[in-house]
Amino acid sequence: MPGPSPGLRRALLGLWVALGLGILGLSAVAQEPFWADLQPRVALVERGGSLWLNCSTNCPRPERGGLETSLRRNGTQRGLRWLARQLVDIREPETQPVCFFRCARRTLQARGLIRTFQRPDRVELMPLPPWQPVGENFTLSCRVPGAGPRGSLTLTLLRGAQELIRRSFAGEPPRARGAILTATVLARREDHGANFSCRAELDLRPHGLGLFENSSAPRLLRTYALSAEPPRLVAPAILEVGSERLVSCTLDGLFPASEAGVHLALGDRRLNPEVTLEADALVATAMAVASVEEEGTRQLVCSVTLGGERRETRENLTVYSLPAPLLTLSEASAPEGELVTVTCTPGAGALATLDGVPAAEPGQPVQLRFNATENDDGRSFFCDATLDVGGETLSKNASTELRVLYAPRLEDTDCPRSWTWPEGPEQTLRCEARGNPAPSVHCARPDGGAVLALGLLGPVTRALAGTYRCTAANVQGEAVRDVTLTVEYAPALDSVGCPERVTWLEGTEASLSCVAHGVPPPSVSCVRAGEPEVIEGLLLVARKHAGSYRCEAVNARGSAAKNVAVTVEYGPSFEEHACPSNWTWVEGSEQLFACEVEGKPQPRVQCVGSEGASEGVLLPLAPPDSNLRGLSTSKDLAPGVYICNATNRHGSAVKTVVVSSESPPHMDESTCPSDQTWLEGAEAAALACAARGRPSPRVRCSREGTPRPPRARVSREDAGTYLCVATNTHGTDSRTVTVGVEYQPVVAELAASPAGGVRPGGNFTLTCRAEAWPPAQISWRAPPGALNIGLSSNNSTLSVAGAMGSHGGEYECEATNAHGRHARRITVRVAGPWLWIAVGGAAGGAALLAAGAGLAFYVQSTACKKGEYNVQEAESSGEAVCLNGAGGAGGGEGGPEAGEAAESPAGGEVFAIQLTSA
């Protein structure tokens, strides 16, 4: 059977290839994860706002697609694999749009979530009560309609700026909108006038938006407190027509008292009260006035209103009328002996009483009849009308006076026969007579001289004294009498009768008397100041009588006083305490000799030397009662015996004075050196410090800082600064002394360095440290034949550079000062290889022995005697035994052979240096 043609084979092959590729393509399409996407997947939009949604897919060729939602659409844009649509007026709290595409016989979907929010534009706080009682609860209710989502809302109730309650609605369903917050609050006094408000916060910051806030309008709260007790009404029980009486109404426990209303009324007539506030109390006062029409019983009402509540008090008040009675005389001015009738007429219903005599019945008049006499002139009559009102008896009265006409009468009470007046002050001269009508009175001297100006105010002088005739007259007759006027005046003390200064002489007799002028004649007495005893009669004058006296003159019109100074003079006299017989002058004190002498007048004093160096010399004296500062005596005042003479006009006195001189302490370098030196170990003694002065000063020295403890021997610790003070009766002097303690030397340390092995040609150093004062001089003694040795500037260090076997041996360090010397030794052993020792020892032994004696002799006799050594010369000559010493140990003065204690430690000190070959 023939096979297929080549063209068919190629077609079949192409078909199979196409089928294979198609199957592979379908398999790839089936395996690729196609999806639909909606952006934004979750959105939060303000209520009523708009939003663009983008719906897309990764399907290469979607069959169809769309966006399902119940929201209003405004515009759409499309592409092959996407769709964009704008949603407007979004109001639903929550909606879920669906994006879908049809791809490869499958529906691809993506769901979104759109939520709306609404700002808290309306925040409402419910109205508060117009008045809220203190201590009772009231409700605060805040409403925020439509705002949301509720889960993002927070409501806060506030009193002013203070937060009362804050509540968050987190956890509420997303679709929930609006919120209400209610709270119960206890009313307080402090809340009166406070503003309450509500604040709403919508916090969308977790969603990428902001914080939206709003507050309600504030609500004003007024609180009040009103006592349950009624007001206290204070008012009279009765009130007279036409009169005013105070009415007060008080109520405590009010808050706020200023907001309370007060009503105060008498019957139907309202009063105008004046309101006073005192803390929580209210006091209303008013003047109540009643009219005739209001006679009878009326009610007085007081009411207080606050917060819609009222407290009231009522009291009864009786209004009455009681006019004053009518009192009349038959004749107001009646001659003496005429009949007079007095009549008292009361008002309606009142009972009249005339001078204690009542009327027969209320409303009836009462009368009184009598013959007028002189005693009735000026007589008063009283009429009383009484009325009973509300159980209380009220009264009104009237009075009048009767005049009786009669002739003048002069009585001793009104015109005395003897007048006594003080001189000086103005007086009103009176001589009055009884009589009606009032009589005129005239007083004049019988001889027709001076006339007294009666009833006029005028000065009283001595010229008015004398006898006068006084006449009183009126239409009814006249009366006459004689009067005597006496003018009295206070005492006077003048310089003639009582001088201000009096001088007496000691030992004579004298009296102190003063004459005074005055009416009546004064008595005069004199007393010494501060003493009660009156000075009378003759006195034997003594110094004690000198002083100030007060003389006083006294009479009925006053007194006069005068100070009289009495001076007692006497001759000079010396007193030991005021002018001592022995006087000590202190050198440098600039002091004057004070010699005060008793005597009046003040005596003149002069002191003259009588023997020795002071003969004929005037002793300078301090002036009496003067300041001695600024006055000085001679620097070279001569001690000795002086004769002092005091003289005044009453005599003279003489006294012998012995003058001696003394001086204060003084220290200087000669008596107390400022630098002193002690030796350690010497017997302890006081500082060499003395002072000059009279009397001999006492000197004490003490160390500054740490006190010096008592010791039998001097120690280094005694060194330091001391203060020495010298004292006598005229003062002190001080000096600072520096004490140094010297001691003999001690070699405290002798050491070698290094401590390890050294190759041939190595270096080593010996160090010597000494303790001494003054500082010690250091000297060394080296082994014979030791070359190339160096010393430090103060000889404390010996050094060797390039050590050889000749450097081995004993080295001695010696310290020397003025107080002694001390030495220590150290051995340096130089050891090398056995071959070196054998060859070197044999070859050099003889040379060393031969050179030793000569070298020792040379060093002892040259360099050691001079105390110095030139190392370079020693190296060139090979002689280096004594190094900077003060004479070697081999017989020099002060060496060990001479008895000095050049010590070496027990067993010696060995310093070994091992020399090794390279």
Side-chain angles (χ1 to χ4, degrees):
M1 181 175 178
S5 63
L8 180 60
R9 290 180 179 176
R10 285 194 295 271
L12 291 174
L13 181 60
L15 178 60
W16 283 110
V17 171
L19 289 173
L21 291 175
I23 293 170
L24 289 174
L26 290 174
S27 175
V29 170
Q31 292 177 1
E32 184 175 348
F34 295 118
W35 44 257
D37 184 33
L38 181 62
Q39 291 297 329
R41 181 65 61 89
V42 178
L44 186 63
V45 183
E46 187 170 6
R47 187 173 184 270
S50 61
L51 176 69
W52 279 92
L53 290 179
N54 188 0
C55 180
S56 61
T57 181
N58 65 344
C59 180
R61 298 189 65 82
E63 299 175 11
R64 62 187 178 89
L67 182 64
E68 292 182 355
T69 178
S70 60
L71 302 176
R72 289 178 54 192
R73 311 167 189 176
N74 188 35
T76 304
Q77 298 177 7
R78 290 181 177 274
L80 176 63
R81 292 182 291 178
W82 61 274
L83 170 67
R85 181 164 293 162
Q86 185 183 27
L87 306 179
V88 297
D89 196 19
I90 304 172
R91 293 184 176 276
E92 296 183 16
E94 183 176 295
T95 184
Q96 294 183 356
V98 179
C99 170
F100 68 93
F101 285 96
R102 185 72 178 171
C103 180
R105 301 179 181 179
R106 293 174 56 229
T107 299
L108 307 177
Q109 289 186 349
R111 290 183 178 275
L113 178 61
I114 300 176
R115 289 176 177 165
T116 60
F117 72 90
Q118 183 172 342
R119 305 185 188 208
D121 295 328
R122 289 176 54 199
V123 182
E124 300 174 356
L125 182 65
M126 296 300 101
L128 300 177
W131 284 96
Q132 177 64 35
V134 173
E136 296 184 12
N137 292 326
F138 65 96
T139 301
L140 291 175
S141 180
C142 178
R143 178 173 171 269
V144 186
R150 187 185 299 163
S152 298
L153 266 177
T154 300
L155 298 185
T156 306
L157 293 174
L158 301 103
R159 179 195 291 115
Q162 177 190 5
E163 291 188 1
L164 298 177
I165 297 175
R166 181 181 179 90
R167 181 182 173 186
S168 171
F169 292 88
E172 292 285 330
R175 299 180 66 86
R177 294 293 186 272
I180 296 177
L181 177 60
T182 302
T184 300
V185 181
L186 181 66
R188 307 174 304 167
R189 287 193 175 200
E190 295 83 352
D191 296 333
H192 180 70
N195 284 319
F196 289 81
S197 61
C198 176
R199 184 176 65 231
E201 301 172 6
L202 181 63
D203 191 359
L204 299 180
R205 289 175 293 186
H207 303 289
L209 300 176
L211 174 65
F212 302 96
E213 295 180 300
N214 196 12
S215 297
S216 70
R219 301 280 188 181
L220 179 68
L221 179 66
R222 295 194 297 173
T223 61
Y224 75 97
L226 181 59
S227 171
E229 297 294 326
R232 297 189 301 276
L233 183 59
V234 178
I238 58 176
L239 180 62
E240 186 178 4
V241 171
S243 64
E244 290 185 345
R245 295 293 296 275
L246 183 66
V247 176
S248 68
C249 179
T250 305
L251 183 60
D252 299 327
L254 281 174
F255 174 81
S258 60
E259 300 283 346
V262 181
H263 175 77
L264 192 60
L266 176 60
D268 297 331
R269 182 164 53 88
R270 182 166 184 170
L271 305 179
N272 295 320
E274 180 180 346
V275 179
T276 303
L277 303 179
E278 297 178 1
D280 290 347
L282 177 148
V283 180
T285 57
M287 298 302 296
V289 181
S291 63
V292 176
E293 293 79 9
E294 293 176 319
E295 275 194 63
T297 301
R298 295 287 184 268
Q299 272 201 338
L300 191 62
V301 181
C302 175
S303 63
V304 179
T305 305
L306 179 62
E309 295 188 53
R310 180 173 177 166
R311 302 288 184 267
E312 184 177 277
T313 299
R314 293 175 177 267
E315 296 286 348
N316 288 331
L317 176 65
T318 301
V319 179
Y320 71 94
S321 176
L322 178 61
L326 179 62
L327 182 61
T328 60
L329 293 172
S330 59
E331 192 172 355
S333 296
E336 188 175 14
E338 187 174 324
L339 179 65
V340 177
T341 300
V342 184
T343 304
C344 175
T345 304
L351 179 64
T353 302
L354 178 59
D355 280 357
V357 178
E361 293 180 3
Q364 297 296 317
V366 61
Q367 288 186 338
L368 181 64
R369 290 184 174 87
F370 61 93
N371 290 321
T373 65
E374 176 189 349
N375 294 333
D376 293 325
D377 184 35
R379 178 180 174 182
S380 295
F381 299 91
F382 294 91
C383 176
D384 189 33
T386 60
L387 181 67
D388 289 335
V389 179
E392 184 177 351
T393 300
L394 306 176
S395 67
K396 289 285 183 71
N397 55 65
S399 64
T400 188
E401 187 175 284
L402 175 64
R403 293 189 63 200
V404 177
L405 303 177
Y406 60 93
R409 294 175 174 81
L410 290 172
E411 304 290 345
D412 289 341
T413 55
D414 299 321
C415 187
R417 297 180 183 277
S418 177
W419 295 343
T420 301
W421 292 336
E423 181 186 32
E426 291 185 337
Q427 298 284 348
T428 300
L429 309 179
R430 298 186 182 277
C431 177
E432 297 178 351
R434 289 189 301 109
N436 198 6
S440 62
V441 181
H442 175 77
C443 295
R445 292 184 187 271
D447 55 4
V451 176
L452 290 180
L454 298 177
L456 298 178
L457 182 65
V460 176
T461 63
R462 303 177 192 180
L464 294 177
T467 301
Y468 296 81
R469 174 160 293 176
C470 295
T471 302
N474 68 2
V475 294
Q476 303 293 324
E478 67 176 23
V480 178
R481 74 164 31 187
D482 292 336
V483 297
T484 301
L485 173 60
T486 302
V487 178
E488 295 183 347
Y489 52 93
L493 292 170
D494 55 24
S495 298
V496 176
C498 190
E500 290 83 0
R501 296 184 178 276
V502 176
T503 302
W504 295 342
L505 179 62
E506 185 180 31
T508 63
E509 289 186 345
S511 63
L512 184 61
S513 61
C514 278
V515 177
H517 306 283
V519 175
S523 61
V524 182
S525 61
C526 297
V527 297
R528 187 165 185 165
E531 297 181 2
E533 184 177 353
V534 176
I535 305 300
E536 295 178 339
L538 290 175
L539 299 175
L540 181 60
V541 177
R543 299 182 193 181
K544 66 179 182 178
H545 294 136
S548 177
Y549 293 79
R550 186 168 184 83
C551 295
E552 185 176 22
V554 180
N555 67 5
R557 289 302 167 191
S559 62
K562 191 173 187 179
N563 290 328
V564 178
V566 174
T567 302
V568 176
E569 294 187 351
Y570 47 91
S573 64
F574 289 96
E575 298 291 338
E576 183 64 23
H577 68 278
C579 187
S581 301
N582 293 281
W583 180 59
T584 301
W585 172 65
V586 180
E587 294 179 8
S589 66
E590 299 185 354
Q591 181 184 7
L592 294 175
F593 177 58
C595 183
E596 297 182 4
V597 181
E598 291 287 334
K600 279 197 180 299
Q602 180 67 37
R604 179 176 176 274
V605 182
Q606 188 178 48
C607 297
V608 181
S610 64
E611 60 183 45
S614 64
E615 184 174 359
V617 176
L618 285 176
L619 180 63
L621 301 179
D625 301 326
S626 67
N627 190 347
L628 297 182
R629 288 178 297 179
L631 300 175
S632 61
T633 185
S634 174
K635 297 294 184 179
D636 54 354
L637 187 146
V641 178
Y642 289 81
I643 304 299
C644 296
N645 186 19
T647 305
N648 69 3
R649 61 173 174 260
H650 299 299
S652 62
V654 177
K655 183 171 185 176
T656 300
V657 176
V658 178
V659 176
S660 59
S661 67
E662 293 185 355
S663 61
H666 176 69
M667 293 189 294
D668 54 22
E669 191 66 24
S670 63
T671 62
C672 185
S674 58
D675 291 298
Q676 301 189 25
T677 302
W678 292 349
L679 180 62
E680 184 182 40
E683 185 176 351
L687 281 172
C689 203
R692 289 187 289 268
R694 289 190 301 272
S696 296
R698 180 182 179 184
V699 181
R700 289 188 176 183
C701 299
S702 61
R703 190 165 78 175
E704 296 182 351
T706 305
R708 176 192 175 194
R711 296 187 183 93
R713 298 286 178 178
V714 175
S715 169
R716 301 179 194 180
E717 298 176 358
D718 294 335
T721 301
Y722 290 76
L723 179 65
C724 294
V725 179
T727 307
N728 69 3
T729 56
H730 301 299
T732 61
D733 191 15
S734 62
R735 190 170 176 82
T736 301
V737 178
T738 301
V739 174
V741 176
E742 297 184 353
Y743 47 91
Q744 65 182 8
V746 173
V747 178
E749 179 185 5
L750 181 59
S753 176
V758 179
R759 292 178 180 272
N763 303 331
F764 70 88
T765 301
L766 300 181
T767 302
C768 180
R769 182 178 62 83
E771 295 179 357
W773 192 262
Q777 298 290 327
I778 303 297
S779 62
W780 292 88
R781 187 179 301 278
L787 304 177
N788 197 23
I789 293 175
L791 296 175
S792 62
S793 60
N794 61 354
N795 288 355
S796 63
T797 302
L798 181 148
S799 60
V800 173
M804 298 185 299
S806 61
H807 292 106
E810 186 176 73
Y811 290 81
E812 181 183 88
C813 172
E814 185 178 65
T816 307
N817 70 2
H819 302 297
R821 63 181 60 193
H822 181 252
R824 291 183 69 177
R825 298 182 181 89
I826 187 170
T827 301
V828 176
R829 294 180 180 173
V830 179
W834 291 109
L835 182 58
W836 177 271
I837 296 174
V839 176
L848 290 174
L849 290 174
L855 179 61
F857 174 77
Y858 179 79
V859 171
Q860 293 283 344
S861 61
T862 59
C864 292
K865 290 182 180 179
K866 292 187 293 180
E868 58 186 13
Y869 184 71
N870 188 301
V871 176
Q872 296 297 328
E873 293 178 359
E875 288 182 357
S876 61
S877 64
E879 299 172 351
V881 177
C882 183
L883 302 179
N884 199 29
E893 184 178 354
E897 288 81 1
E900 287 295 327
E903 66 178 37
S904 178
E909 295 184 8
V910 177
F911 177 75
I913 299 177
Q914 180 70 40
L915 301 179
T916 59
S917 60

